[in-house]
């Protein structure tokens, strides 16, 4: 219990969520007035995305608040990355059960550290009492007509993913007590879950190279399914090629497959590119600072088939993508 009277709403906003914005073309006015003012560059379109994190739904109460601040922004930056957009600014709608200053200090430190890394500013928001949740809206810009969409995959395109998949789901299984991980392994998996990296540079480097893109938030099967439906095509994935950490590679095969195909919370990019774009994709990956792996092909017939390294079809029952309202 704090002895000092609890901070009021406006002091709280001033202390934790108002900072001198980095000098940045595009942000004219930040926190403090009725609206923020943004000025996208000539010929640019604004890319806007919102993601909400609710305690017990999207994060566990055990998450260190610095990591929660990081993750709330990272998952939003991941959506901009998937569109190939350059981040400009973001807003934060925050619901808090009480004014807990150490919590707010750590949360805002995590948030602002990632904002600084991404070169963007918090330009507004809303603050209310209520169950703990964070809702961020991120605004980016992309040259008109060049955003990466889910609908551009064509038969014959290669399917690629960035980074490695499945560690975040492995952490969730460890928190649920369904798998035992020792100290260093648990911390590695937990970092993947609590402190994801948005592939912002890769997304921008893939403009003009990828034919479609999506970020992996709900598991590869579900998210690739969104691309296939939006593009009216089908896909074939070789599960043995799905990139994994050495930690995940050491796990039980059934658990490993579940983490790779239906993991969720990966925040890697899944994208497609014409078969002759192999070199251009690798060049984009170098500019994006992350490895990319070719994992399958787009085909004309609708549907998604996953096979193992020998070409044998894998059964996918029970491995659907995450759906908050599914029974
Ligand atoms: P209004 O009454 O117009 O909704 P508020 O009193 O809610 O404005 O907020 C005052 C200012 O503080 C506004 O500029 C708003 O964008 C900003 N703000 C409120 N909450 C936050 C927050 N959590 N993070 C950043 N800015 C915030
Ligand atoms: Mg308000």
């Amino acid at each position: 219990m704090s002895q000092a009277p609890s901070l009021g709403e406006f002091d709280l906003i001033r202390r934790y969520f108002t900072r001198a914005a980095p000098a940045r073309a595009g942000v004219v006015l930040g926190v403090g007035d009725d609206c923020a003012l943004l000025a996208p560059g000539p010929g640019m379109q604004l890319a806007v995305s919102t993601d909400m994190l609710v305690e017990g739904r999207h994060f566990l109460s055990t998450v260190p608040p610095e990591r929660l601040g990081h993750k709330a922004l990272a998952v939003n930056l991941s959506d901009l990355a998937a569109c190939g957009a350059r981040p400009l600014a973001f807003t934060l709608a925050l619901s808090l059960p009480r004014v807990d200053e150490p919590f707010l200090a750590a949360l805002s430190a995590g948030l602002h550290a990632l904002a600084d890394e991404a070169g963007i500013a918090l330009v507004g928001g809303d603050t209310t009492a209520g169950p703990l949740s964070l809702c961020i809206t991120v605004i980016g810009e992309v040259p008109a007509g060049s955003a990466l969409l889910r609908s551009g995959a064509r038969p014959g395109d290669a399917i690629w993913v960035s980074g490695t998949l499945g560690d975040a789901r492995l952490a969730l299984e460890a928190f649920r007590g369904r798998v035992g991980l020792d100290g260093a392994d648990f911390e590695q998996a937990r970092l993947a879950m609590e402190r994801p990296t948005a592939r912002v540079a890769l997304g921008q480097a893939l403009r003009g190279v990828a034919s479609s893109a999506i970020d992996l938030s709900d598991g590869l099967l579900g998210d690739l399914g969104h691309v296939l439906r939006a593009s009216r095509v089908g896909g074939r994935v070789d599960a043995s090629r799905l990139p994994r950490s050495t930690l995940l590679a050491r796990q039980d095969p059934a658990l490993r497959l579940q983490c790779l195909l239906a993991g969720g919370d990966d925040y890697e990019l899944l994208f497609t590119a014409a078969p002759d774009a192999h070199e251009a994709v690798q060049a984009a990956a170098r500019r994006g600072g992350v490895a990319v792996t070719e994992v399958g092909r787009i085909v004309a017939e609708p549907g998604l088939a996953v096979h193992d390294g020998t070409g044998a079809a894998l059964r996918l029952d029970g491995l659907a993508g995450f759906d908050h309202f599914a029974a």
Side-chain angles (χ1 to χ4, degrees), residues 242-281:
L242 293 173
R244 65 206 68 183
S245 66
T246 55
L247 168 60
L248 190 66
R250 281 190 269 118
Q251 307 303 314
D252 160 77
L255 171 68
R256 186 168 68 222
L257 201 61
Q258 183 175 44
C259 291
L260 287 169
L261 290 173
D265 264 1
D266 288 313
Y267 302 105
E268 295 295 344
L269 294 185
L270 180 148
F271 57 96
T272 59
D276 62 5
H278 204 278
E279 279 311 307
V281 167

Side-chain angles (χ1 to χ4, degrees), residues 208-222:
V209 175
S211 53
S212 73
I214 190 168
D215 69 316
L216 293 174
S217 54
D218 296 332
L220 180 134
L221 289 182

Side-chain angles (χ1 to χ4, degrees), residues 116-128:
D116 289 346
E117 201 182 293
I120 63 172
L122 177 57
V123 296
D126 201 21
T127 307
T128 175

